[in-house]
Amino acid sequence: MGWSFKLHGGTAAGLSAFLLILAALTWLPGTLPLVDSAWLTVAVVLLLFPIFAAALLRVLLTRADRHSVWLAFRCLPGAVQGALGSLVVSGVVVLLVSMAGTGNLQSAEIRDGRYFVLDTTPYERGRIEVSQSQYVTVLESDQRSMLAIPSFLFAAAAYLALAAGELRRADAGPGT
């Protein structure tokens, strides 16, 4: 496998792990100022789309079907498979736990010193006023979701890039 595939997959996996760590830090008491900053969201978006699109393009250029991509992934070392698998599973768990924790409440905001969230309960949809503790709970849940989804996508990009590299190596023949 070429170094560019390793660099691409390693970068995507590293960013996935970084976002999962930030998501886990939101469970600590208090709000995390780093997660609430706008520059982090911009950085994630600016990195996610090119990295994911490039990984997808690399797989498409191999002209392999899903089964072949899976088999190529299975040819990677066990530690790499385990690391990527744990990133995906951790991202899904964080996302499911954060979605289950707040029920139908999301999009926390402060207006005029009062705390509001969006209630998405069927037939009750709308902004409602909540206590500060409920506001913090919804805010942290939103932050976890905002970090877990791109983390999952970065892990998928790492999977695609490394599998494409393995396919490319296999297509090149023996000795490469």
Side-chain angles (χ1 to χ4, degrees):
M1 176 182 327
W3 64 270
S4 69
F5 290 97
K6 292 177 185 176
L7 181 66
H8 189 176
T11 301
L15 289 169
S16 176
F18 174 71
L19 292 176
L20 274 177
I21 290 169
L22 285 180
L25 288 176
T26 62
W27 273 302
L28 294 176
T31 57
L32 199 62
L34 175 66
V35 176
D36 210 18
S37 62
W39 69 266
L40 179 65
T41 305
V42 170
V44 167
V45 169
L46 288 177
L47 289 172
L48 178 63
F49 289 113
I51 288 174
F52 190 81
L56 195 58
L57 183 64
R58 284 182 153 190
V59 168
L60 291 175
L61 289 175
T62 64
R63 297 182 184 198
D65 61 350
R66 287 185 303 185
H67 183 67
S68 298
V69 173
W70 175 250
L71 290 176
F73 174 73
R74 298 287 299 155
C75 290
L76 293 171
V80 174
Q81 291 178 32
L84 289 178
S86 65
L87 286 174
V88 168
V89 169
S90 300
V92 169
V93 167
V94 167
L95 186 61
L96 291 176
V97 168
S98 71
M99 288 172 52
T102 58
N104 294 326
L105 303 178
Q106 59 188 17
S107 300
E109 70 177 46
I110 299 175
R111 277 192 263 155
D112 300 325
R114 296 171 24 198
Y115 303 102
F116 292 92
V117 296
L118 178 64
D119 186 1
T120 59
T121 306
Y123 308 112
E124 299 291 328
R125 188 172 180 91
R127 288 249 170 234
I128 59 170
E129 188 172 354
V130 294
S131 66
Q132 182 182 7
S133 63
Q134 185 68 23
Y135 163 80
V136 170
T137 302
V138 172
L139 180 66
E140 289 173 345
S141 175
D142 286 349
Q143 290 173 345
R144 274 190 292 280
S145 297
M146 183 205 65
L147 294 168
I149 292 170
S151 172
F152 178 77
L153 292 174
F154 275 125
Y159 161 78
L160 292 172
L162 293 173
E166 193 62 23
L167 284 166
R168 184 83 119 189
R169 185 192 62 75
D171 286 345
T176 55

